[in-house]
Amino acid sequence: MSTTPNDFMAEGEPDQGQAVEQVGSSTTPDSWWQVVWSSKKARVGLVILGLYVLMAVFAPLIAPHDPLDGSFTPLLPPSGEHWLGTNTNGRDIASQLIFGSRISLLVGLFGGALATAIALVVGLVSGYTEGTIVDDVLSFVTNVALVIPALPLIITLVAYSDTRGVWLIVGIIALTSWAGAARGKRAQIITLRNRDFVTSAKFSGEGSARIIFSEIMPNMSSLVVAGFVGAATGAVGAEAGLAVLGLGDTRSVSWGTMLYQADAQGAIQQGLLTWIFAPGLALAILITAMSFINFGVDLLSNPHLRED
Amino acid sequence: MRYFLRKLGFFLGTLWAVVTLNFMIPRLQPGDPAELMVRRLQGKDSQLDTAQVEAMRSMLGAPDGSLWTQYWAYLADLLRGDFGVSYTYYPFSVAEVIGQAIWWTVGLVVVTQIISFVVGIVLGAYAAWRRNSKLDTTITLGSTFLGTLQPFWIALVLLYVFGYTLGWFPTSGGYSASTPGLNMFFIEEVLSHSTLPAVALLIVTPIGWILGMRNTMIMNLGEDYIRLAKAKGLPDRTVALRYAARNALLPSVTGFALALGSVLGGTILVETVFDYPGLGRLMGEAVSNKDYPLLQTLMLLTTTGVLIANLIADLLYGVLDPRARRAEG
Amino acid sequence: MARPNEGTPLLEVRNLEVRYEPKASRSLTAVQDVNFTIAPGEFVGLIGESGSGKTTLATALLRLLEKPGRISNGTIMFDGTDITHLDQDELRAIRWRDLSTVFQSSMNSLNPVVRIEPQFRDAIEQHSDLRGEDVSARVRELFDMVFIDHRFITAFPHELSGGMKQRVNLALALALDPKLVLLDEPTTGLDVVVQHSILQNVRKLQEEKGFAVLFISHDIGTVLDLSDRILVMYSGRIVEDQTAAELLREPLHPYTKGLLGSYGDPRAETVRITYIPGRPPDLSLVSEGCSFAPRCPEKIDRCLTEYPELLPIESGEVACHVAALHRLVGADGIELPERNRRFVGPEFVKTADESAHARERDIVLTVDNVTKVFEKRRGLKVDRTVAVADTSFVLRKGAVTALVGQSGSGKSTLARMITGIDSPTEGRIVFHGPDGDQEVASFRGRALRSYRSHVQMVFQDPYSALNPTKRLGQILERPLVNYHGLKGDARRKRVEELLETVALTPADRFINRYAYELSGGQRQRVVIARALAVLPEVIVADEPISSLDVSIRAEILELLNDLVQDHDVGILYITHDLLSARMLADEVIVLNEGRVVEQGPVLQVIRDPQDPYTRTLLDAVPNPF
């Protein structure tokens, strides 16, 4: 997988008494996406995730009905018209399922990204200022955020807010889930900061901002990717959990709200299996896909896991 | 010694932060929080009675006092164990309501977590030791898949299959016909009611341990002291248990407490599904009834519980790993 | 190949081949067609530089290879048993009782969370009938053998210093009176003086107890001092097998000559040290002919097409066409290079009179009675460590001052103060720059930045000193942008000039490369080029050659020497090695525990050391001649 072109090898014979300069074909350290892609599980995960993304993007084209249209006969069994039947409110379950992917992916993407961004900023600043009061404060905040259990806090925060839009949920999930990643990034930046190339950047006249963002950050891409995948997975699960408790976005359809309504309206007692099983399974497959991707990403941070 | 003091200090600092956060949350909105809340409750639900308004006020304290006086009053209330009045269960105080529910949850969480921890550590260590064997692949893939299932969904499935379809277990509550007390009938009922919630949790919670233990152990197996232990000609069992697993277990000790936080999340949802009379169901009720005093106390209580578990784990880690004491002491 | 006078060998390796076959990348043969024997009680050295396969060979001998590595061919006979394919249960009977080891990075070979005694106890109880107090007595006896206080028996590994850990590992290896002890670079990373004493201890114990040793090292000097017989390994093969005395008298393989040529006698009037140009071959590529041929000054046509067999020649064995033709079959019409016991490759020569004029040059930096005390708060107590005490010296333009000492002697602390990273507790460091005399400790912010356009640094580890995510061009242009505001073509031209100055030519071949595509020596050149970019008055070079392979060190020394001559830069050369100080420096300052113990013209100090510490350091210089 070496990217070193062979024509770069020095040709010609070395003369005696003169140093031969050649650039060897020492194997390129694989870039992070190559490492991730090298894992079979990660490939499967990426493909499934890709399908979900397509489903979310093209939901209006794929779904047979409007997910909020309650004009159908309630409790229809699965048929050609209603693939998974209708629920007690006369809504098409298949369409709800398809549109539901949008919320999960949205929350996963933005919740994960926001949490990663917070973790990155806190981790970078804290690690770079290690040993100063700034680091002490940030580390304390990080550790506090780490030990406080997320869900009860999220529930309390969401319960107090009037409007429960997707963005509120994204924001609150991000705010309560960045700490672990921040701690990891702090640890890594401390090891990177003590590497000679950072000192030598100072000797090259670089300022602090450039050292953090141009010298150190590019070396952390694998950790950032791993952090993002983990945070996104967590966000997808947290959104579903909130929705199941009735704290979801009431104006849109998500798999969590489907489960909430199914549970609240006694779908189990009535044996409405598709209503219960479909959203749970959709969620499980999405999270499985993301965990599979994480297997690939884990190879980045733990080289011992490679080669199996 | 310094290590232990530091950890204790951190615990107290965190506890203070949580208590203060709990105080701040309802006051984050502009205006008089009590008025605001009363108005909101009235808007949503016109049957709001004076009792609820009273409960609201008693929770938020005198609106005319400054934030400082409110804060001190709040701290004083906490110290007295006065968490206000629940308006779902008016006129019962929050403390009484929680006192009824807490043991259900504690029992469920403690039993399932100990089983999960033991099962997870053993399976994870075994998978790592027999890495790439069929069993390892089965354990890893199985855990990965099961780990992605949401606990509440598993709960729904179990409820459907074993509760409604097969009828093996009761579908809701903590007990039905018996009187609570130390009689066989009651205990039997508690056990049969707790089985499904426990199973729902037991399907998911060992997974973190399995995968975490497997990863740490694989990492440790690459260390020189493992190679040397093998070169010493020690039996595999000794190398696996005394060298690899023992060292890999250490990070899991601190992980145990941190994981309690997420387990709590799962428990809340599972309890809601099974209508199990614990803290989780209370929280669900508090949310849907907008019972803020109850909700906030639950948050404070669960968080404190996790913090205490965390403190114990940290102290234990300090005892188990000589390096920890030095590195930070 | 067992020589008749040796009797039954203890270890006999035949045609051993080890392959790594990873799924994701190309497979490679790390050890190829290796044959050798070790007699009971024999001390055998195995020399090889990084990537030669020596550690893989050791791991294979211990049967500790893990996937994706495996023994793909050959046999290992140990004490009459073929252990090549024994399973783990069968191996257990031999392990540690007969065959023990001390690992390369034995800093980590003790379990960090278990006290030391149980780590001896489990091995002893596994393989002997000793139990209880008898085991403790044995552990005390072992600790006595390696001169460690008994109170450390119950310590945790992290409570021991590096040297002590290594002695403990040695004691552990000897716990059951094994027949063969495999030492894989057992002292790498330790202070030269500590290294020296541990290795002397090993040799003494070996002679007393009569166990055999396979001692693996990259440092031919140490190996020659200790071993009865020496194996030289290059790119996975044994290229020479001789007794130490013979090897020293007449090395047969050109690679061995190159390794020997890397050393010289620092006391001599003229010191010549050679270096081997180029780099070892990539083992994942199948090569034709001798793998050393591309770097070999003696090669003939046959070397490029045919791999030379390991043939008995005179007292030893060697795998070299030229040596074989010279000594066995005769030239037979082939034109051969002259018989030579030296490496006829490039060399770096230093004569005594060169540095005489240097002491009259202008002073560029003065270190004036500098003391540095580190305070570490532990609760209410404050630990004070004196890192540097009352030290004075000067740096001159176009001259090299060597700062010599072990780790912990304060030399790096001095470097940090001179470059403005730290400031002295007492005393002054004054820079005599273009803006007059300025005290280094007073520089902050912008002033510190501009000071660094006059004082640059070369680091010890070129692998860590270059950002892996940047191209060489990007690395070299930063100081030009920051200090000289160069843009566009002018900047690119200057970058190319710099690459050419450090002999990375042609420059356009290197400008877009990443550091990982270069060898260690090439990386160090880039680091030097970057330091040179701003035309500094002073370069602080902190152990710039100690992480490089021995055979290429002279190359970097020569480059630094050229910089002094051509660019009139003053160098503070920090090292633990008096030979390299002699090669490069005009003046030398010997530091011990933060104090200057000796200071003066380099040749004078080396020839007539006044301080016992200087003599210890001098003794630690491996001297194969």
Side-chain angles (χ1 to χ4, degrees):
Chain A
M1 226 178 273
S2 166
T3 57
T4 314
N6 285 329
D7 60 357
F8 194 71
M9 300 277 293
E11 62 267 53
E13 299 301 327
D15 292 326
Q16 293 185 8
Q18 185 195 315
V20 195
E21 283 319 329
Q22 56 183 29
V23 173
S25 58
S26 62
T27 7
T28 318
D30 295 332
S31 50
W32 59 266
W33 59 87
Q34 283 173 313
V35 174
V36 174
W37 192 251
S38 75
S39 151
K40 204 189 287 171
K41 285 179 201 147
R43 283 201 295 271
V44 172
L46 284 167
V47 169
I48 297 177
L49 182 65
L51 292 176
Y52 269 77
V53 170
L54 289 178
M55 176 161 88
V57 170
F58 297 109
L61 299 177
I62 302 168
H65 305 284
D66 180 342
L68 293 175
D69 180 356
S71 63
F72 306 105
T73 321
L75 303 176
L76 284 176
S79 67
E81 177 65 22
H82 300 284
W83 304 337
L84 297 174
T86 57
N87 66 16
T88 45
N89 301 326
R91 290 174 181 168
D92 181 52
I93 295 176
S95 303
Q96 289 207 321
L97 195 69
I98 291 166
F99 272 90
S101 63
R102 293 186 149 190
I103 298 289
S104 286
L105 288 177
L106 210 65
V107 171
L109 178 65
F110 288 99
L114 193 57
T116 308
I118 298 172
L120 198 57
V121 171
V122 173
L124 281 177
V125 174
S126 171
Y128 194 72
T129 57
E130 190 211 354
T132 67
I133 183 85
V134 179
D135 173 42
D136 289 346
V137 171
L138 286 178
S139 290
F140 178 73
V141 171
T142 308
N143 286 332
V144 169
L146 195 64
V147 292
I148 294 180
L151 203 62
L153 182 62
I154 296 179
I155 290 173
T156 311
L157 284 171
V158 174
Y160 268 105
S161 37
D162 289 323
T163 49
R164 290 181 193 145
V166 171
W167 299 113
L168 175 86
I169 289 167
V170 164
I172 286 179
I173 288 175
L175 274 177
T176 48
S177 63
W178 53 271
R183 196 153 85 162
K185 292 186 176 77
R186 174 177 178 274
Q188 200 186 12
I189 201 176
I190 287 171
T191 57
L192 283 173
R193 198 183 72 140
N194 293 326
R195 298 270 282 282
D196 289 338
F197 71 78
V198 174
T199 318
S200 61
K202 288 181 193 156
F203 278 88
S204 295
E206 307 282 30
S208 289
R210 220 188 141 92
I211 287 178
I212 295 184
F213 292 105
S214 170
E215 297 286 333
I216 294 178
M217 222 161 77
N219 284 292
M220 298 179 63
S221 52
S222 64
L223 197 65
V224 173
V225 174
F228 171 72
V229 176
T233 315
V236 169
E239 186 276 331
L242 281 178
V244 166
L245 278 175
L247 290 170
D249 181 356
T250 39
R251 291 158 309 177
S252 54
V253 180
S254 83
W255 296 327
T257 52
M258 287 174 76
L259 283 170
Y260 170 64
Q261 283 165 3
D263 185 35
Q265 311 209 3
I268 288 186
Q269 290 89 323
Q270 300 171 50
L272 298 171
L273 296 189
T274 54
W275 198 9
I276 291 281
F277 286 123
L281 219 55
L283 204 55
I285 293 171
L286 174 60
I287 296 181
T288 307
M290 293 173 81
S291 311
F292 274 8
I293 296 171
N294 231 340
F295 263 97
V297 173
D298 269 346
L299 300 183
L300 295 171
S301 42
N302 187 354
H304 284 295
L305 296 174
R306 291 185 205 176
E307 301 288 357
D308 44 6
Chain B
M1 203 52 222
R2 228 176 110 65
Y3 171 84
F4 297 106
L5 285 178
R6 268 180 67 109
K7 290 298 170 192
L8 192 68
F10 175 73
F11 167 74
L12 292 174
T14 318
L15 191 63
W16 168 80
V18 168
V19 164
T20 307
L21 190 68
N22 196 47
F23 171 78
M24 294 302 289
I25 289 173
R27 290 169 177 82
L28 283 175
Q29 297 104 326
D32 171 18
E35 275 308 313
L36 213 73
M37 210 134 307
V38 169
R39 226 179 303 126
R40 183 189 303 163
L41 290 171
Q42 280 168 329
K44 284 255 165 74
D45 186 350
S46 51
Q47 299 158 344
L48 184 78
D49 55 32
T50 45
Q52 286 174 319
V53 180
E54 265 318 295
M56 200 74 250
R57 288 223 177 277
S58 79
M59 177 186 95
L60 291 167
D64 44 322
S66 75
L67 216 54
W68 270 116
T69 48
Q70 290 181 36
Y71 186 56
W72 288 118
Y74 161 81
L75 289 183
D77 283 348
L78 281 193
L79 282 179
R80 280 199 311 271
D82 177 3
F83 301 101
V85 180
S86 156
Y87 45 74
T88 316
Y89 294 95
Y90 189 81
F92 288 101
S93 74
V94 168
E96 286 168 300
V97 174
I98 289 177
Q100 290 275 315
I102 190 165
W103 299 113
W104 292 95
T105 299
V106 168
L108 187 64
V109 169
V110 166
V111 171
T112 55
Q113 281 322 289
I114 289 175
I115 297 177
S116 296
F117 186 74
V118 174
V119 169
I121 294 299
V122 170
L123 284 184
Y126 191 78
W129 183 252
R130 294 261 171 263
R131 191 176 158 203
N132 292 337
S133 68
K134 259 205 184 97
L135 198 85
D136 173 33
T137 318
T138 316
I139 291 176
T140 320
L141 277 181
S143 320
T144 313
F145 182 71
L146 285 179
T148 62
L149 298 177
Q150 297 297 306
F152 57 83
W153 189 69
I154 294 175
L156 285 174
V157 173
L158 290 176
L159 189 61
Y160 173 75
V161 176
F162 296 102
Y164 288 100
T165 312
L166 297 174
W168 290 356
F169 295 98
T171 55
S172 76
Y175 57 94
S176 24
S178 58
T179 9
L182 271 179
N183 55 72
M184 276 314 289
F185 186 41
F186 176 70
I187 291 170
E188 224 171 88
E189 277 208 318
V190 167
L191 287 180
S192 73
H193 279 83
S194 309
T195 306
L196 285 184
V199 170
L201 289 175
L202 281 176
I203 289 178
V204 194
T205 46
I207 286 167
W209 302 119
I210 295 178
L211 298 178
M213 183 70 184
R214 183 178 175 273
N215 272 10
T216 344
M217 178 118 162
I218 285 177
M219 214 149 32
N220 278 8
L221 285 174
E223 297 281 345
D224 275 332
Y225 57 82
I226 302 287
R227 284 177 62 218
L228 193 82
K230 286 185 190 162
K232 281 204 270 188
L234 300 176
D236 279 0
R237 232 181 105 79
T238 314
V239 179
L241 296 179
R242 298 242 336 249
Y243 285 77
R246 185 193 157 134
N247 291 37
L249 197 61
L250 287 173
S252 300
V253 171
T254 34
F256 182 74
L258 281 184
L260 270 186
S262 68
V263 166
L264 214 70
T267 312
I268 290 169
L269 297 165
V270 168
E271 286 189 8
T272 311
V273 171
F274 287 104
D275 214 13
Y276 184 81
L279 298 180
R281 191 186 70 174
L282 269 191
M283 194 163 229
E285 282 174 354
V287 166
S288 41
N289 297 335
K290 295 193 173 298
D291 189 344
Y292 291 109
L294 183 58
L295 184 61
Q296 285 205 263
T297 312
L298 282 170
M299 196 219 26
L300 196 62
L301 188 74
T302 50
T303 308
T304 311
V306 172
L307 291 186
I308 291 172
N310 205 51
L311 175 69
I312 294 171
D314 276 346
L315 299 183
L316 194 64
Y317 185 75
V319 175
L320 293 178
D321 191 341
R323 291 167 300 176
R325 274 167 292 174
R326 192 185 68 146
E328 295 194 38
Chain C
M1 73 165 259
R3 264 142 271 154
N5 59 343
E6 273 182 350
T8 326
L10 176 63
L11 179 76
E12 186 172 3
V13 177
R14 288 277 156 262
N15 306 100
L16 190 69
E17 182 182 88
V18 178
R19 283 179 63 74
Y20 283 94
E21 288 161 345
K23 278 179 191 160
S25 54
R26 281 177 297 181
S27 48
L28 57 89
T29 309
V31 169
Q32 211 168 343
D33 200 22
V34 162
N35 289 285
F36 69 93
T37 58
I38 295 177
E42 196 181 13
F43 198 117
V44 177
L46 175 67
I47 298 280
E49 291 182 291
S50 52
S52 62
K54 58 186 188 303
T55 294
T56 303
L57 176 59
T59 316
L61 295 180
L62 292 165
R63 289 291 320 279
L64 288 174
L65 277 179
E66 286 189 20
K67 276 185 193 169
R70 65 182 180 92
I71 296 176
S72 45
N73 198 9
T75 53
I76 304 165
M77 296 284 288
F78 179 76
D79 203 16
T81 316
D82 182 350
I83 63 165
T84 327
H85 301 290
L86 287 190
D87 67 30
Q88 296 298 316
D89 288 324
E90 295 164 320
L91 282 169
R92 199 162 294 134
I94 296 166
R95 284 190 164 154
W96 224 253
R97 207 186 61 201
D98 296 330
L99 171 61
S100 68
T101 181
V102 177
F103 282 139
Q104 182 167 12
S105 45
S106 5
M107 300 303 145
N108 306 318
S109 40
L110 295 169
N111 188 342
V113 300
V114 176
R115 288 177 198 279
I116 289 175
E117 199 200 1
Q119 306 196 42
F120 276 74
R121 184 174 288 275
D122 59 11
I124 294 173
E125 292 188 350
Q126 175 70 30
H127 298 288
S128 74
D129 297 330
L130 297 184
R131 292 292 178 274
E133 177 50 32
D134 290 346
V135 177
S136 306
R138 175 67 181 152
V139 176
R140 286 195 294 274
E141 197 183 326
L142 290 163
F143 267 58
D144 287 339
M145 274 159 53
V146 295
F147 311 111
I148 294 189
D149 195 304
H150 289 176
R151 70 195 160 96
F152 289 107
I153 292 175
T154 51
F156 284 104
H158 68 254
E159 292 163 350
L160 273 61
S161 72
M164 279 160 73
K165 267 188 216 169
Q166 208 49 294
R167 286 174 187 278
V168 167
N169 275 300
L170 179 62
L172 183 56
L174 302 182
L176 293 148
D177 288 324
K179 293 179 178 147
L180 175 63
V181 181
L182 203 151
L183 305 171
D184 185 3
E185 303 243 19
T187 55
T188 304
L190 296 177
D191 278 328
V192 275
V193 176
V194 178
Q195 271 188 32
H196 200 64
S197 83
I198 292 183
L199 293 176
Q200 293 307 327
N201 193 194
V202 170
R203 180 74 212 202
K204 206 177 120 264
L205 288 168
Q206 185 262 341
E207 279 161 3
E208 282 169 22
K209 311 265 168 195
F211 53 87
V213 172
L214 179 61
F215 175 50
I216 298 175
S217 172
H218 64 272
D219 181 3
I220 199 168
T222 343
V223 174
L224 273 168
D225 275 354
L226 296 169
S227 314
D228 303 323
R229 193 157 55 88
I230 288 174
L231 309 168
V232 182
M233 204 167 176
Y234 185 76
S235 75
R237 300 177 190 253
I238 304 281
V239 296
E240 182 159 356
D241 176 347
Q242 283 232 61
T243 62
E246 277 302 307
L247 190 91
L248 194 54
R249 198 183 61 80
E250 186 164 20
L252 296 172
H253 198 281
Y255 178 63
T256 318
K257 296 175 195 169
L259 287 175
L260 285 168
S262 318
Y263 295 95
D265 179 2
R267 297 172 193 84
E269 194 69 17
T270 302
V271 194
R272 301 166 179 276
I273 52 177
T274 59
Y275 54 89
I276 306 175
R279 62 196 292 179
D282 182 343
L283 291 173
S284 65
L285 302 173
V286 181
S287 63
E288 265 181 33
C290 175
S291 46
F292 189 63
R295 306 171 75 185
C296 184
E298 296 186 21
K299 68 172 174 302
I300 56 174
D301 289 345
R302 185 181 292 184
C303 301
L304 300 173
T305 51
E306 211 180 298
Y307 189 85
E309 292 293 309
L310 191 66
L311 295 172
I313 294 178
E314 291 172 11
S315 60
E317 299 185 6
V318 70
C320 175
H321 290 307
V322 176
L325 289 170
H326 269 310
R327 290 166 176 83
L328 291 180
V329 284
D332 198 19
I334 301 169
E335 199 180 317
L336 289 177
E338 233 177 282
R339 250 177 94 153
N340 204 327
R341 69 171 292 272
R342 284 191 65 84
F343 186 69
V344 287
E347 60 182 6
F348 172 38
V349 186
K350 186 82 170 187
T351 57
D353 52 309
E354 257 178 63
S355 53
H357 70 283
R359 284 188 297 279
E360 289 127 42
R361 302 298 309 271
D362 293 343
I363 295 175
V364 66
L365 190 125
T366 309
V367 175
D368 188 10
N369 296 95
V370 163
T371 297
K372 176 74 186 178
V373 181
F374 287 109
E375 292 189 350
K376 201 175 170 194
R377 215 170 291 278
R378 296 176 67 89
L380 295 173
K381 277 186 297 183
V382 178
D383 284 352
R384 290 164 57 88
T385 321
V386 181
V388 174
D390 202 22
T391 297
S392 302
F393 59 89
V394 295
L395 299 182
R396 291 170 197 274
K397 259 195 161 162
V400 180
T401 304
L403 206 52
V404 182
Q406 298 182 63
S407 62
S409 62
K411 55 196 202 309
S412 293
T413 308
L414 270 168
R416 290 170 62 84
M417 290 189 286
I418 288 171
T419 52
I421 298 172
D422 251 333
S423 48
T425 316
E426 273 169 53
R428 309 189 322 145
I429 297 175
V430 180
F431 175 59
H432 313 285
D435 306 326
D437 294 358
Q438 292 166 298
E439 199 180 330
V440 172
S442 70
F443 293 134
R444 294 278 179 281
R446 193 178 290 271
L448 182 61
R449 223 183 78 148
S450 99
Y451 172 60
R452 284 181 179 154
S453 69
H454 303 292
V455 175
Q456 284 280 315
M457 189 140 185
V458 172
F459 300 86
Q460 175 170 5
D461 178 9
Y463 288 79
S464 132
L466 297 175
N467 193 329
T469 63
K470 298 231 183 298
R471 294 170 195 280
L472 303 188
Q474 291 172 313
I475 290 171
L476 291 177
E477 69 184 29
R478 292 311 303 168
L480 300 174
V481 173
N482 288 328
Y483 294 123
H484 295 170
L486 286 185
K487 288 196 189 68
D489 279 352
R491 187 168 74 199
R492 180 167 170 107
K493 223 177 127 255
R494 179 74 183 121
V495 168
E496 287 179 357
E497 220 175 276
L498 284 167
L499 284 168
E500 272 157 27
T501 310
V502 296
L504 293 174
T505 50
D508 55 357
R509 247 192 196 166
F510 288 91
I511 205 160
N512 285 323
R513 294 290 130 194
Y514 290 98
Y516 59 76
E517 295 171 275
L518 307 182
S519 68
Q522 287 172 329
R523 285 176 210 226
Q524 198 57 294
R525 286 154 184 260
V526 177
V527 175
I528 291 169
R530 177 176 54 196
L532 205 59
V534 292
L535 301 170
E537 272 84 7
V538 175
I539 291 180
V540 175
D542 188 358
E543 302 257 17
I545 59 167
S546 65
S547 65
L548 302 177
D549 271 341
V550 175
S551 65
I552 58 164
R553 287 182 182 175
E555 200 178 336
I556 298 298
L557 287 178
E558 189 181 36
L559 174 64
L560 288 170
N561 194 55
D562 290 347
L563 296 186
V564 179
Q565 310 296 336
D566 302 346
H567 297 265
D568 213 23
V569 61
I571 291 184
L572 179 66
Y573 177 67
I574 298 175
T575 185
H576 62 267
D577 167 26
L578 275 168
L579 172 62
S580 68
R582 158 75 170 100
M583 293 307 289
L584 194 59
D586 306 295
E587 283 197 79
V588 66
I589 297 154
V590 182
L591 274 181
N592 184 21
E593 291 174 356
R595 286 176 194 284
V596 176
V597 294
E598 192 151 1
Q599 166 165 25
V602 65
L603 206 55
Q604 185 187 320
V605 170
I606 284 175
R607 282 184 176 162
D608 184 19
Q610 299 301 310
D611 191 86
Y613 180 70
T614 315
R615 280 194 285 269
T616 319
L617 281 179
L618 212 53
D619 285 345
V621 176
N623 185 4
F625 301 106

